[in-house]
Amino acid sequence: MPELPEVETTISELKPEIEGKRITGVEIFSEKQVAAPSIEDFIQGLSGRRITDLERRGKYLIFRLDNGKVLIIHLRMTGSLLIKPENEEPEKAIRAVIFLDSGKAIHFRDVRRFGRMWLVNDEKEVVGKLGAEPLDPDFTPELLKRIINGRRTPIKSLLMNQSLIAGIGNMYADEALFYARIHPLQPANSLTDEEIQRLHAAIQEVLRLGIQNRGASTDTYIRPAGIKGGAQLEFRVAHQKGKSCPVCGGPIERIVVQQRGTFFCPRCQQLH
């Protein structure tokens, strides 16, 4: 699933291609991808509008338009946004195409059709309930401690709760917990102050490394130019079942935490 680093990579690479460009037309090939408004209003509302800015909130891409409205896209499990020549024939997995006056087009590729698009007056209608941004200056160890305080849920589940912390998904939660030497099933409220400090530093380190390596292409995610990211090449435990732990040499194991495959080192991340 595209997480914060993949969305941030998409934005940084897409922005130079689309900022200031006018939308000349929209084609929708999968109507379920449009969450709001109606298909007709969605197409009409985008056509002729200029894209003034592109931002990220959690895992959501926010396109600001010249009339004050915002286009919001969530890539969900298998989505990617590609920049293509306007006359290129869409491949099978393309669910929508947004044409620009530059002679290029944005192709919304989504193999499993889980991604969604909204055209709204206020982004808070869609992203208003998201939690703290883990790379913002306001995200301190003290804030993380307040988020954790009183919650007995497994720490892996807490890290993936978008209403608490926005942008962390399965892969980077596994990586952060390994860096912090914390078992994914550890009850959140049992973490010591030292463990919270380690976890805070680990969250920011793995996310920044993911951005630096242009996102992780473990399955279907590809960058706007149609090429893969490289973050998966640096993963220490995520998707590494059976391989040797880079710290202790023991085997990486896989368990399920709230229906999500979870990778960890049982030697380095002991449950207490």
Side-chain angles (χ1 to χ4, degrees):
M1 176 186 294
E3 302 177 28
L4 188 156
E6 290 73 47
V7 176
E8 191 68 35
T9 297
T10 298
I11 287 175
S12 66
E13 298 185 357
L14 202 59
K15 195 169 184 176
E17 299 281 357
I18 70 170
E19 194 172 51
K21 304 301 187 293
R22 191 174 297 280
I23 298 170
T24 58
V26 180
E27 290 186 5
I28 304 295
F29 304 113
S30 175
E31 294 191 359
K32 68 177 290 186
Q33 312 294 125
V34 179
S38 67
I39 298 295
E40 294 76 14
D41 289 344
F42 183 84
I43 294 173
Q44 184 177 0
L46 284 177
S47 299
R49 301 268 61 91
R50 190 176 299 278
I51 301 169
T52 60
D53 199 6
L54 178 57
E55 301 174 2
R56 179 191 59 77
R57 180 71 172 99
K59 302 177 188 178
Y60 294 78
L61 296 99
I62 300 176
F63 298 71
R64 301 198 181 280
L65 307 177
D66 59 355
N67 63 349
K69 291 192 174 185
V70 288
L71 165 65
I72 299 178
I73 299 179
H74 195 332
L75 300 175
R76 294 281 175 90
M77 289 186 67
T78 62
S80 295
L81 295 182
L82 310 177
I83 193 75
K84 298 284 187 179
E86 64 177 358
N87 59 356
E88 181 166 321
E89 190 70 21
E91 62 173 276
K92 183 178 179 180
I94 300 301
R95 309 307 176 191
V97 176
I98 299 174
F99 297 95
L100 306 173
D101 63 0
S102 61
K104 296 185 178 181
I106 304 167
H107 286 210
F108 184 11
R109 181 178 183 270
D110 188 4
V111 176
R112 297 184 65 181
R113 303 175 190 257
F114 290 150
R116 293 291 181 268
M117 299 183 289
W118 298 260
L119 180 61
V120 294
N121 294 316
D122 184 352
E123 68 259 34
K124 290 181 181 178
E125 296 177 39
V126 179
V127 301
K129 294 183 179 180
L130 291 178
E133 285 286 341
L135 293 180
D136 277 4
D138 292 341
F139 185 74
T140 61
E142 292 73 27
L143 176 57
L144 179 57
K145 183 176 180 178
R146 291 199 297 272
I147 292 171
I148 288 173
N149 187 37
R151 291 186 167 92
R152 300 179 61 185
T153 184
I155 187 61
K156 166 77 182 283
S157 302
L158 183 145
L159 291 180
M160 295 174 58
N161 185 333
Q162 300 301 298
S163 67
L164 299 176
I165 305 173
I168 303 174
N170 209 34
M171 300 183 295
Y172 295 100
D174 285 350
E175 288 293 291
L177 290 169
F178 175 76
Y179 277 55
R181 306 191 303 278
I182 297 171
H183 194 287
L185 288 174
Q186 190 70 40
N189 65 352
S190 71
L191 265 59
T192 65
D193 287 350
E194 180 185 354
E195 287 174 324
I196 291 172
Q197 289 276 354
R198 292 204 309 262
L199 180 57
H200 175 269
I203 289 168
Q204 296 196 328
E205 183 175 358
V206 300
L207 291 176
R208 287 183 175 129
L209 188 61
I211 294 169
Q212 177 183 319
N213 288 304
R214 316 311 294 169
S217 295
T218 59
D219 188 10
T220 56
Y221 168 75
I222 50 177
R223 293 158 56 187
I227 57 179
K228 293 182 177 182
Q232 72 280 2
L233 303 177
E234 303 292 334
F235 282 168
R236 298 186 181 183
V237 292
H239 302 286
Q240 305 298 308
K241 180 184 177 182
K243 295 184 180 179
S244 297
C245 170
V247 174
C248 73
I252 302 300
E253 294 187 4
R254 181 186 184 275
I255 59 174
V256 176
V257 179
Q258 290 195 347
Q259 301 181 322
R260 300 302 301 273
T262 297
F263 301 87
F264 75 111
C265 172
R267 292 185 188 175
C268 295
Q269 300 167 260
Q270 294 186 16
L271 185 62
H272 64 80

